Amino acid sequence: MPIENPFTYLRGREPEKNYTLSSFSPPFDFDGYVINDRNACAVYAVAAVITHHLKPVDGIDFATRLGQCKEIALSKGYGRAENYYLNILKYKPFSKDCLALYDTVLRPDSDLFFPWKSACRQINAKFPVLINIWREAGSGYHDHTVVAYGWCVYTDDTQKEHRFYKVRDGYNAGAARYVDVERLGLYYITKIFSV
């Protein structure tokens, strides 16, 4: 079950504790999207992040940009029409190939080590980040890519921190969902940012 409210989620897990929102990212809007193709979460997420950055400049909407990214996925061998699954090591080159379609200074990069700090820096600068989740216990996500566009930290009575990403997951365009970072285990981020 996706997390819709971190405070409610924490209280449901350990109701005997008190939780305080101790820090959070500056808010910004990020449009949701719904995945309509098989195993296409990464392709949709890349298209959504590029659209977030470039639509104010070039006017290209998400549906058009998604079509262009899907064409790149097929023509460059990243995926197939019946299965757009991208290997995690292909996120950066795929993003780079999609960005090459446009006149932009945006560049992709990926982080496996210390992704929380890197993702928070990007989000604070209003650059959404792709989070590849291998498995988050209790979230309903397995081998799924979401777009993080916010973060928050709750502190409990023992001063333990509980970190969350605010995400669009591609399952419900209007829903803001959250990912419990402490339960993610190993995860990988891909950033698309200006140099």
Side-chain angles (χ1 to χ4, degrees):
M1 189 79 178
I3 300 167
E4 296 185 357
N5 181 306
F7 180 77
T8 303
Y9 164 79
L10 289 168
R11 292 286 299 181
R13 290 190 66 213
E14 296 183 272
E16 70 282 359
K17 290 185 178 178
N18 292 308
Y19 299 92
T20 304
L21 179 62
S22 54
S23 59
F24 55 91
S25 58
F28 72 90
D29 266 346
F30 183 81
D31 291 338
Y33 53 94
V34 175
I35 301 164
N36 293 315
D37 294 285
R38 181 174 159 83
N39 291 326
C41 57
V43 173
Y44 277 66
V46 167
V49 171
I50 293 173
T51 301
H52 172 80
H53 291 302
L54 296 184
K55 185 177 178 185
V57 177
D58 64 17
I60 298 173
D61 65 6
F62 172 73
T64 302
R65 204 167 318 264
L66 174 63
Q68 293 168 337
C69 287
K70 286 166 66 173
E71 189 175 307
I72 291 287
L74 297 176
S75 67
K76 301 242 181 196
Y78 290 108
R80 301 181 315 277
E82 67 277 2
N83 187 344
Y84 282 95
Y85 186 82
L86 291 184
N87 178 297
I88 194 169
L89 299 176
K90 302 294 183 183
Y91 283 30
K92 181 178 173 180
F94 172 71
S95 299
K96 186 175 181 180
D97 285 342
C98 290
L99 287 166
L101 296 172
Y102 315 107
D103 181 22
T104 181
V105 296
L106 293 173
R107 298 290 175 258
D109 199 8
S110 295
D111 287 326
L112 175 62
F113 302 105
F114 310 110
W116 171 257
K117 288 183 180 182
S118 181
C120 289
R121 273 193 304 274
Q122 293 302 310
I123 293 166
N124 289 347
K126 299 190 177 183
F127 288 107
V129 175
L130 282 76
I131 309 282
N132 180 267
I133 301 168
W134 175 243
R135 178 173 301 199
E136 182 204 356
S139 74
Y141 302 129
H142 173 75
D143 196 14
H144 185 58
T145 298
V146 299
V147 177
Y149 66 105
W151 59 266
C152 60
V153 178
Y154 283 82
T155 307
D156 67 24
D157 296 335
T158 66
Q159 298 308 304
K160 179 181 177 186
E161 291 186 338
H162 304 270
R163 302 172 297 166
F164 295 87
Y165 289 118
K166 183 178 184 180
V167 303
R168 297 289 189 184
D169 63 9
Y171 296 144
N172 181 324
R177 305 252 168 91
Y178 293 83
V179 174
D180 182 348
V181 175
E182 313 319 317
R183 298 181 80 189
L184 275 177
L186 189 64
Y187 69 101
Y188 187 82
I189 69 168
T190 300
K191 309 171 284 190
I192 296 175
F193 60 99
S194 61
V195 290

